[in-house]
Amino acid sequence: MNRLPPRRPARRPAAPARGAGSVRIVGGRWRGTRLPVPDVDGLRPTSDRVRETLFNWLQAVTPGAVVLDLFAGSGALGLEAVSRGAASAVLVERDPAQAGGLRAIVDRLDAGGKVQVVQDDALRWLAQAGPQRFDLAFVDPPFAGDLWEPALAALLPRIAPGGWLYVESPATQAPTLPPGWTLHRELRTAQARAALYRGPVPAPEGDTPSREGADTLAGANPAT
């Protein structure tokens, strides 16, 4: 009688490597550059697909813009903007190790003249920062922190007239913006809501305010 060979103990699956994930810059001069995503509590980078859609919405706005990436994390939003022609970007990141990693990426891309990495709490930085205004700001905080209301209250006065604001939040949660801010476009995934807003556009003296053309970008449809 032939005997079956002894059964080998099942191998346990290898644990995923911490900090092994990455996202990539999807357009512009740094297209394809991988940005590491370390295993940091609350770090949830905007997906490549959502960023590609967002920057299609912003294609007429990004070139020459002064940008703020308030909860920078992987830096994907701010660096994508500069890759696509933004004049400059400030990346604010609280975690010291992650901020150091962002500085290393900026050095590798030789982008120090355009990208500033600030290691600080976002709300504290907003309270202490100088008078600089931004044409485009990204707000994508850790979802567990419920930081949208205080962050937007401190940030909106720093956005230039007619400027643009991107907010990412849980799929069932839509932060409330003050009167004058218009929802331009939005999309939802199973996990998140991605929304692009435009700020109030002051009418020239003597002109009657008109909404025609104020809330659309070249090649984009209004929000539905």
Side-chain angles (χ1 to χ4, degrees):
M1 179 181 297
N2 295 328
R3 294 185 178 181
L4 295 174
R7 181 177 296 176
R8 296 180 179 178
R11 292 185 178 180
R12 299 178 63 182
R18 295 173 65 88
S22 67
V23 294
R24 65 184 177 91
I25 295 176
V26 296
R29 60 176 174 158
W30 299 327
R31 180 179 180 179
T33 298
R34 290 280 175 182
L35 306 174
V37 180
D39 188 4
V40 174
D41 187 36
L43 180 57
R44 179 200 41 78
T46 303
S47 71
D48 295 351
R49 182 177 66 84
V50 171
R51 265 185 297 110
E52 186 167 14
T53 299
L54 169 62
F55 281 94
N56 284 340
W57 298 345
L58 289 168
Q59 61 183 331
V61 172
T62 305
V66 177
V67 173
L68 173 64
D69 190 351
L70 189 56
F71 300 88
S74 69
L77 289 168
L79 292 173
E80 183 84 42
V82 176
S83 178
R84 293 172 180 258
S88 64
V90 177
L91 278 55
V92 182
E93 171 55 41
R94 181 179 62 181
D95 183 79
Q98 183 62 13
L102 289 174
R103 292 191 181 100
I105 292 168
V106 170
D107 288 344
R108 175 161 56 89
L109 295 174
D110 194 23
K114 290 193 171 185
V115 181
Q116 178 189 4
V117 177
V118 177
Q119 192 267 301
D120 202 350
D121 175 80
L123 299 182
R124 182 171 57 225
W125 180 82
L126 284 171
Q128 299 175 354
Q132 182 178 15
R133 286 197 168 192
F134 299 92
D135 304 308
L136 170 61
F138 301 108
V139 178
D140 181 15
F143 282 4
D146 197 19
L147 296 169
W148 292 274
E149 184 175 341
L152 293 176
L155 169 63
L156 294 188
R158 295 183 174 278
I159 298 181
W164 297 85
L165 171 70
Y166 170 77
V167 181
E168 196 164 324
S169 60
T172 58
Q173 181 176 340
T176 301
L177 272 72
W181 282 86
T182 304
L183 176 63
H184 175 70
R185 295 293 296 268
E186 70 174 332
L187 64 83
R188 294 176 191 264
T189 67
Q191 295 79 29
R193 172 183 181 264
L196 180 65
Y197 299 87
R198 187 162 192 201
V201 181
E205 288 188 26
D207 287 359
T208 301
S210 171
R211 288 179 54 82
E212 183 178 357
D215 297 326
T216 57
L217 292 173
N221 297 320
T224 56

